[in-house]
Amino acid sequence: MQKKRSEMVETQIAARGVRDPRVLETMRAVPRHLFVPPAEVAFAYDDRPLPIGSGQTISQPYVVAFMAEQLRLTGKEKVLEIGTGSGYSTAILAALAAKVFSIEIRPELSREAKERLEKLGVKNVELRAADGYRGWPEQAPFDAILVTAAPEKVPPPLLEQLAPSGRMVIPVGAFYQELKVIHRQGGGYTEKSVLPVRFVPFVGEAEDGPPPARDPATSR
Ligand code: SAH
């Protein structure tokens, strides 16, 4: 598997221009085959996303590496991830930053990811099963935010929870999506599209609007 992983890094990731040595080293180290279902293990190092159950996918290795590089992590950062999924990108972020908070809307995926990360001895992560639309306000601000499901618009609470000089990487769009890098600087935000992508939809409040307010007169 180590050999397959080195090949993956050379032919799919470095060959396409990812340069950050810490990112390349991390992609070589994290055992991707332990994040996919048994039926997919043989394909774990292929150049594509794979199904992880519940209709969701683990992103293509190149896309994970590219997103991680765009966040420009040095090892000191506090990171928020929306869309834990298999926990693979969570493990990559955990190796590149100081602490990762990751939210997954599907409780079964969050539970499985937690078990995997524990087994691998990844300690600097906290997982939460919830809608990530509102971020993790108790832990904000975050030096970096990675979103791995695509909303049609960037959720405003996530912009607010970005620290000054922080970066967010997020796929935006319905069918045609662009990976965007949002940089908070000088009291504002700059945004650039860096890659056409195809992620699963960001579900929950981003799609459906806010949950109905509880009416104090009828909730008793
Ligand atoms: N980073 C994951 C990719 C998982 S795919 C990995 O490496 O495996 C994206 C994930 O986002 C799915 O698991 C999906 O359930 C989750 N998701 C979608 N909408 C969400 C929301 N509003 N809040 C939190 N997670 C969400």
Side-chain angles (χ1 to χ4, degrees), residues 56-57 83-86 89 104-106 109 131-132 148 200-203:
Q56 306 306 309
T57 55
T84 315
S86 67
S89 50
E104 168 57 51
I105 200 165
R106 295 174 202 270
L109 291 181
D131 186 341
T148 69
V200 299
F202 193 109
V203 298

Side-chain angles (χ1 to χ4, degrees), residues 67-112:
M67 293 190 298
E69 182 174 58
Q70 294 295 319
L71 290 172
R72 303 202 196 174
L73 302 170
T74 66
K76 298 196 190 103
E77 297 80 5
K78 186 174 182 182
V79 182
L80 174 67
E81 178 184 47
I82 311 296
T84 315
S86 67
Y88 177 66
S89 50
T90 319
I92 300 287
L93 293 172
L96 294 170
K99 178 92 196 213
V100 181
F101 296 84
S102 184
I103 307 179
E104 168 57 51
I105 200 165
R106 295 174 202 270
E108 72 283 5
L109 291 181
S110 182
R111 200 166 44 237
E112 288 169 20

Side-chain angles (χ1 to χ4, degrees), residues 2 17 26 42 64 72 91 100 107 121 124 144 165 180 184 186 208 213 219:
Q2 183 61 63
T26 301
V64 176
R72 303 202 196 174
V100 181
N124 54 335
S165 307
K180 295 193 185 271
R184 185 169 197 171
D208 310 336
S219 67

